[in-house]
Amino acid sequence: MRHSRFVLSLLSATLLLTVPGYAAPLTALDRIDGSVSTREPVALPADATLTVELLDVSKADAQAGRLARLSLPGGGRQLPLPFELPYYRADVQPGHRYSVRATLTSSGGALLYTTTRHVAVLTKGEGKQVQLELQQVQTQPQPRAAAMLENTYWKLTAIGALPVQVQANEREAYLLLLDGRVSGSSGCNKLMGTYTQQAPNGLRIGPLASTRMACLPALVDQETALTAALARATGYRIDGKALDLMAGDAVLARFEARYF
């Protein structure tokens, strides 16, 4: 029985007429039978919607006209999915070309799968049964938003070739620049002082003061190297969430933006 198929009735179909004000009798309805599948088995996401459209593609240089559209809830169903797409016979014009298109979208409207070729129907000897194959949409990676130099917590990740040390029960080495003031830590002692910026990427840090806590030898070396790098810095470079302190083309120290 047809009730065993995943079929959209007139009550659940969205049928769009191409002639404003045209009221066709119910007996003028016809339908296109078909199914939608992918090359590999796919379970539709629970929030997915499958949309099938009948389009007039007669004019290559114009937007396709839409005769009918139906939407099927995904609900985690397995493909292939059969469908029946109702349309009005009176909307089909002799000599025109028609095709069927299918898309699979998320609840937020993001396109997940789509047909990539026109599947002809109705005229010029084409029938009313179609097999549609969906292709997964390859999303482009979004560029990383660059962090801001100021008002960003910059965690120290490297000082030249010197590995970064962390002492137990002490805060990691970091810098925070805001309104001309520097605060931070070498991994042992707190740092504080001033900085100035010059366009476009010039930066001068210091003079700096620090607390005088006793540090492990490795952290003493790290603090010495860090304060020297900060004093030598003449500019900076930000790539996404990474900050490099520069002296000309040389990278003195590297930091990573952290958010809490």
Side-chain angles (χ1 to χ4, degrees), residues 111-133:
L111 182 62
L112 306 176
Y113 289 82
T114 183
T115 50
T116 57
R117 65 183 183 88
H118 288 295
V119 179
V121 291
L122 302 182
T123 58
K124 298 185 180 297
E126 305 293 346
K128 294 184 289 185
Q129 292 188 341
V130 293
Q131 305 295 322
L132 304 178
E133 183 177 277

Side-chain angles (χ1 to χ4, degrees), residues 22-260:
Y22 176 75
L26 190 62
T27 55
L29 281 172
D30 207 337
R31 70 170 184 262
I32 293 172
D33 294 311
S35 66
V36 177
S37 63
T38 57
R39 290 186 179 181
E40 302 295 333
V42 173
L44 302 185
D47 66 341
T49 296
L50 178 68
T51 300
V52 183
E53 298 175 296
L54 174 60
L55 303 173
D56 185 335
V57 293
S58 304
K59 299 179 180 179
D61 58 347
Q63 184 176 359
R66 184 169 56 199
L67 279 70
R69 178 180 64 187
L70 63 82
S71 295
L72 312 175
R77 301 174 188 273
Q78 291 283 344
L79 296 175
L81 267 181
F83 66 86
E84 291 180 358
L85 175 61
Y87 67 93
Y88 287 124
R89 294 194 194 106
D91 288 341
V92 179
Q93 304 297 317
H96 284 216
R97 294 184 298 112
Y98 299 94
S99 71
V100 178
R101 177 178 66 189
T103 58
L104 184 67
T105 56
S106 69
S107 59
L111 182 62
L112 306 176
Y113 289 82
T114 183
T115 50
T116 57
R117 65 183 183 88
H118 288 295
V119 179
V121 291
L122 302 182
T123 58
K124 298 185 180 297
E126 305 293 346
K128 294 184 289 185
Q129 292 188 341
V130 293
Q131 305 295 322
L132 304 178
E133 183 177 277
L134 294 170
Q135 299 288 336
Q136 187 173 15
V137 175
Q138 300 297 322
T139 57
Q140 296 295 324
Q142 298 298 314
R144 294 183 298 173
M148 303 296 293
L149 176 67
E150 296 183 296
N151 203 25
T152 296
Y153 180 99
W154 291 109
K155 174 187 173 182
L156 180 68
T157 58
I159 311 171
L162 188 68
V164 175
Q165 302 287 323
V166 178
Q167 181 173 325
N169 302 319
E170 290 294 336
R171 191 165 189 174
E172 63 193 3
Y174 75 97
L175 279 182
L176 179 64
L177 298 88
L178 180 63
D179 296 333
R181 306 294 296 179
V182 177
S183 60
S185 171
S186 66
C188 179
N189 281 297
K190 295 180 180 179
L191 304 175
M192 61 210 76
T194 61
Y195 71 93
T196 56
Q197 284 185 265
Q198 299 89 31
N201 292 310
L203 178 65
R204 294 285 185 175
I205 299 177
L208 296 179
S210 69
T211 56
R212 296 295 182 180
M213 295 179 58
C215 304
L216 295 175
L219 291 178
V220 171
D221 293 341
Q222 176 171 291
E223 183 173 296
T224 300
L226 176 59
T227 55
L230 297 177
R232 291 179 54 202
T234 59
Y236 69 95
R237 178 176 62 201
I238 294 178
D239 180 13
K241 307 303 182 185
L243 166 68
D244 293 339
L245 288 185
M246 315 286 294
D249 294 331
V251 177
L252 304 175
R254 295 183 185 275
F255 298 80
E256 178 183 272
R258 295 286 300 276
Y259 302 100
F260 303 95

Side-chain angles (χ1 to χ4, degrees), residues 1-7 82:
M1 295 178 62
R2 288 190 179 275
H3 295 290
S4 64
R5 302 179 60 197
F6 189 61
V7 175

